[in-house]
């Protein structure tokens, strides 16, 4: 039997009629018979095209307030019968079941209804039964049946039946079936997640993926699954790469710590801040952030917590950077930043980030809650006889926010609302501290009077001793070591202020 089949009949039952008319007219030109229900039936009739009501086939009306319309052996037999199976052919004749070659169906808008804040009863009524059953039946029988399960596939179907005069190949039908199972599984995942309260159950489905140029390296394939356009309005520049997206993610998480602070500018490289400063103007904040480490800033990702003006854009334009992000840009600033052809300019929109973080691990996934805790003045516990001044507390909190968003092990030095230097991703906290000291020296920064943040506790007093010798006068750390008192004693003997937060901020 030929694997190429001509569509001679179609069951159409859709929620949205947009884009349907040209398909119906083309199939009518090709002498297809239509079966339909309710509003779709009226839609086809209003086009002046004959249509058979499903209830005339089943001898049953739509019942239970529309909950049962197409669920009947004569409908599902017409979809599921195997045309090369002798027994199926005989039963189709015996029970007078019409052949259905094409099913066009979409599903009630469950996700949109949930997102609208509708009542539970309204949400429950948007759980599609007949539609999902039709999709699964037609997709299962792709050898004989074409399934179109969403409006997004209408144009593909129209092109196909126009170019091939109503005929489809087995490959065509299998591709439609694949997309249909994607629609049904995505739909069921959304319903499950609405009901799910078990933390040990995890299902996720993202409808649209974006193919990236490559992954971390050119020999690796890369993809992004998410609604990038909801988070950002892209004004200019090349397509974002896998590594760009990782840096943008790090930048968004970091600047969120300073959302309610004064003008703050951050520069990131390889997911870590290499420059960050808060000032009274965004221009001053940018210049101070750049001065932290102008070498690493080359090719970095830049982000501001406030509008970027012309003067700041003119300074940024002197630097080669991959991405510039802000909640807004002056028109003149955009014009300047667009002078570099490939520079990516993003307006960050107000969009909530997922509450769960997911990453692959071994042969499965690791999932955790987002670290939504930010150290504040109220939670600080002074553990030394020397208490930090108000200015030092500001710097300690500032440094802690950066520390939280830097790869462990990490040490951050800050002074006067400026990142002086940091040690990142080291295998020991002492190494991280020594790296930060050396980096400060290399860029000519004095650590006299600076504050230090650590992402975890000090098991020994060596870190506070090295910090004091470098000029540090105030320290913020979680505390919690059985040897905390050794570090406290050293600080007391050397008049260092130290505060505990009680919160560790590892970032692996």
């Amino acid at each position: 039997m030929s694997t190429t089949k001509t569509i001679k009949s179609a069951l159409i039952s859709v929620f949205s009629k947009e884009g349907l008319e040209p398909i119906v007219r083309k199939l009518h030109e090709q002498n297809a018979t239509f079966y339909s229900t309710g509003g779709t039936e009226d839609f086809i009739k209003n086009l002046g095209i004959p249509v058979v009501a499903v209830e005339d086939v089943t001898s049953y009306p739509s019942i239970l307030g529309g909950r049962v319309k197409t669920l009947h052996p004569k409908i599902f037999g017409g979809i599921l019968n195997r045309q090369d199976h002798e027994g199926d052919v005989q039963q189709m004749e015996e029970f007078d079941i019409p052949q259905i070659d094409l099913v066009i169906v979409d599903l009630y808008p469950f996700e949109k209804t949930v997102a609208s804040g509708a009542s539970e009863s309204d949400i429950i009524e948007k759980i599609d039964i007949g539609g999902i059953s039709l999709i699964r039946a037609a997709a299962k029988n792709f050898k004989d049946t074409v399934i179109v399960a969403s409006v997004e596939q209408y144009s593909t179907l129209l092109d196909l039946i126009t170019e091939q005069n109503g005929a489809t190949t087995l490959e065509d039908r299998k591709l439609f079936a694949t997309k249909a199972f994607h629609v049904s599984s995505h739909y069921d995942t959304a319903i499950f997640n609405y009901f799910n309260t078990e933390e040990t159950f995890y299902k996720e489905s993202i409808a649209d993926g974006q193919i990236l140029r490559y992954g971390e390296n050119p020999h690796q394939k890369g993809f992004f699954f998410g609604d990038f356009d909801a988070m950002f309005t892209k004004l200019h520049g090349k397509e974002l790469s896998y590594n760009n997206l990782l840096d943008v993610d790090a930048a968004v998480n970091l600047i969120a710590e300073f959302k309610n602070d004064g003008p703050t500018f951050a520069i990131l490289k390889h997911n870590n801040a290499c420059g960050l400063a808060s000032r009274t103007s965004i221009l001053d904040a940018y210049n101070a952030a750049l001065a932290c480490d102008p070498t690493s800033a080359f090719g970095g990702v830049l982000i501001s917590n406030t509008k970027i003006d012309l003067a700041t854009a003119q300074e940024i334009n002197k630097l080669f950077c991959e991405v510039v992000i802000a909640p807004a840009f002056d028109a003149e600033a955009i014009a300047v930043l667009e002078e570099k052809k490939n520079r990516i300019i993003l307006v960050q929109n107000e969009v909530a980030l997922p509450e769960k973080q997911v990453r692959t691990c071994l042969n499965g996934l690791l999932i955790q809650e987002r670290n939504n805790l930010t150290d504040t003045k109220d939670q600080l516990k002074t553990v030394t006889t020397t208490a930090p001044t108000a200015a030092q507390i500001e710097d300690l909190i500032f440094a802690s926010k950066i520390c939280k968003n830097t790869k462990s092990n990490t040490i951050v030095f800050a002074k006067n609302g400026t990142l002086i230097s940091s040690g990142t991703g080291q295998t020991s906290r002492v190494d991280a501290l020594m790296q930060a000291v050396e980096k400060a020296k290399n860029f000519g920064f004095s650590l006299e009077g600076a504050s230090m943040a650590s992402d975890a506790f000090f098991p020994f007093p060596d870190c506070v001793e090295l910090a004091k010798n470098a000029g540090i006068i105030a320290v913020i750390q979680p505390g919690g070591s059985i040897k905390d008192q050794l570090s406290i004693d050293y600080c007391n003997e050397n008049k260092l202020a130290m505060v505990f937060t009680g919160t560790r901020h590892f970032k692996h």
Side-chain angles (χ1 to χ4, degrees):
M1 182 177 286
S2 172
T3 61
T4 299
K5 297 182 179 294
T6 299
I7 296 171
K8 297 178 182 178
S9 58
L11 170 65
I12 306 177
S13 180
V14 296
F15 187 83
S16 171
K17 315 299 186 294
E18 184 178 352
L20 184 61
E21 180 178 345
I23 293 173
V24 173
R25 291 195 182 280
K26 177 56 67 175
L27 289 170
H28 178 59
E29 289 175 15
Q30 296 167 347
N31 299 314
T33 300
F34 294 102
Y35 301 93
S36 192
T37 61
T40 309
E41 179 187 346
D42 293 339
F43 175 83
I44 296 172
K45 285 179 180 177
N46 290 336
L47 296 178
I49 293 173
V51 56
V52 178
V54 163
E55 61 188 56
D56 291 342
V57 176
T58 64
S59 299
Y60 268 91
S62 173
I63 61 173
L64 306 181
R67 282 189 166 196
V68 180
K69 290 179 284 191
T70 57
L71 295 169
H72 192 281
K74 280 200 170 184
I75 298 302
F76 280 83
I79 295 169
L80 281 164
N81 74 92
R82 294 158 291 185
Q83 295 178 22
D84 60 353
H85 189 282
E86 184 177 345
D88 286 8
V89 172
Q90 290 176 353
Q91 287 190 327
M92 291 284 285
E93 293 179 359
E94 178 183 355
F95 296 109
D96 191 26
I97 298 173
Q99 178 67 45
I100 297 174
D101 302 315
L102 165 67
V103 175
I104 302 177
V105 63
D106 64 359
L107 301 170
Y108 293 154
F110 179 84
E111 288 179 279
K112 288 183 179 178
T113 305
V114 172
S116 72
S119 66
E120 183 172 275
S121 60
D122 288 340
I123 290 170
I124 297 303
E125 287 308 310
K126 288 298 184 289
I127 298 176
D128 207 308
I129 303 300
I132 204 79
S133 301
L134 291 169
I135 288 172
R136 290 181 66 84
K140 175 178 179 175
N141 200 36
F142 68 88
K143 284 182 64 178
D144 294 310
T145 311
V146 182
I147 173 62
V148 175
S150 72
V151 173
E152 285 74 19
Q153 296 164 36
Y154 283 5
S155 61
T156 302
L157 175 66
L158 181 60
D159 290 343
L160 198 68
I161 61 177
T162 301
E163 295 167 6
Q164 298 177 186
N165 196 31
T168 64
T169 65
L170 180 62
E171 291 75 16
D172 294 331
R173 297 191 295 277
K174 191 170 185 178
L175 181 59
F176 276 117
T178 302
K179 293 180 177 180
F181 282 125
H182 167 66
V183 168
S184 65
S185 63
H186 180 82
Y187 193 78
D188 284 340
T189 297
I191 295 171
F192 167 79
N193 285 333
Y194 172 74
F195 283 95
N196 181 37
T197 58
E198 294 289 335
E199 290 187 347
T200 55
F201 295 164
Y202 178 76
K203 297 184 190 299
E204 188 65 71
S205 176
I206 301 176
D208 298 305
Q210 175 185 345
I211 300 173
L212 304 174
R213 296 196 300 274
Y214 50 81
E216 272 187 296
N217 301 290
H219 63 277
Q220 296 171 269
K221 290 183 178 179
F223 307 87
F224 173 70
F225 292 89
D227 192 350
F228 185 85
D229 292 338
M231 280 210 66
F232 301 100
T233 302
K234 184 181 175 188
L235 303 180
H236 181 73
K238 63 183 179 180
E239 293 301 312
L240 280 88
S241 69
Y242 182 99
N243 292 331
N244 286 154
L245 288 167
L246 285 175
D247 282 333
V248 168
D249 176 69
V252 166
N253 283 293
L254 175 58
I255 208 68
E257 306 286 347
F258 301 90
K259 180 179 179 181
N260 299 317
D261 295 353
T264 301
F265 206 104
I267 304 173
L268 291 90
K269 195 74 170 289
H270 301 304
N271 306 162
N272 292 315
C274 59
L276 195 150
S278 294
R279 293 290 188 273
T280 56
S281 76
I282 199 60
L283 174 60
D284 289 344
Y286 169 73
N287 286 329
L290 179 62
C292 295
D293 185 350
T295 302
S296 296
F298 183 85
V301 169
L302 282 58
I303 189 165
S304 168
N305 72 344
T306 190
K307 180 189 287 187
I308 291 180
D309 55 22
L310 174 60
T312 307
Q314 288 171 331
E315 289 301 310
I316 292 172
N317 205 37
K318 298 174 183 177
L319 174 72
F320 169 72
C321 57
E322 292 273 355
V323 186
V324 183
I325 310 167
F329 295 83
D330 283 339
E332 297 89 345
I334 295 171
V336 169
L337 294 173
E338 285 179 342
E339 290 176 7
K340 297 295 192 324
K341 178 182 177 182
N342 290 327
R343 180 184 286 145
I344 299 162
I345 306 172
L346 302 175
V347 175
Q348 184 180 349
N349 303 320
E350 283 283 345
V351 175
L353 295 173
E355 285 302 311
K356 290 182 179 178
Q357 295 177 313
V358 183
R359 65 195 298 182
T360 59
C361 181
L362 301 176
N363 61 350
L365 301 174
L366 279 174
I367 300 175
Q368 68 172 352
E369 295 176 343
R370 177 174 293 279
N371 183 359
N372 287 325
L373 292 179
T374 298
D375 295 335
T376 63
K377 299 175 187 178
D378 294 338
Q379 74 189 74
L380 300 185
K381 177 184 178 183
T382 301
V383 294
T384 51
T385 53
T386 300
T389 65
Q392 288 165 2
I393 289 175
E394 293 292 335
D395 279 341
L396 290 170
I397 294 297
F398 178 90
S400 173
K401 290 178 178 180
I402 301 171
C403 203
K404 171 187 167 183
N405 290 276
T406 305
K407 294 289 185 180
S408 300
N409 287 321
T410 184
I411 292 289
V412 171
F413 295 146
K415 186 177 180 180
N416 298 329
T418 306
L419 169 63
I420 302 298
S421 65
S422 61
T424 64
Q426 299 303 301
T427 52
S428 82
R429 203 156 305 283
V430 171
D431 286 344
L433 197 153
M434 293 175 67
Q435 182 190 59
V437 170
E438 188 64 25
K439 192 170 183 179
K441 287 180 181 177
N442 289 341
F443 287 102
F445 289 109
S446 170
L447 291 174
E448 292 296 328
S451 294
M452 179 176 82
S454 172
D455 59 342
F457 62 64
F458 302 131
F460 303 101
D462 47 4
C463 281
V464 287
E465 181 177 357
L466 288 167
K468 188 265 181 186
N469 293 338
I472 299 300
I473 59 173
V475 179
I476 184 170
Q477 60 135 318
S481 169
I482 59 173
K483 296 184 179 180
D484 274 343
Q485 194 60 46
L486 295 177
S487 295
I488 294 171
D489 289 344
Y490 181 88
C491 289
N492 285 337
E493 291 165 8
N494 292 273
K495 296 183 172 52
L496 269 70
M498 185 160 65
V499 297
F500 285 1
T501 66
T503 303
R504 190 183 72 184
H505 289 297
F506 272 164
K507 185 173 185 286
H508 290 97

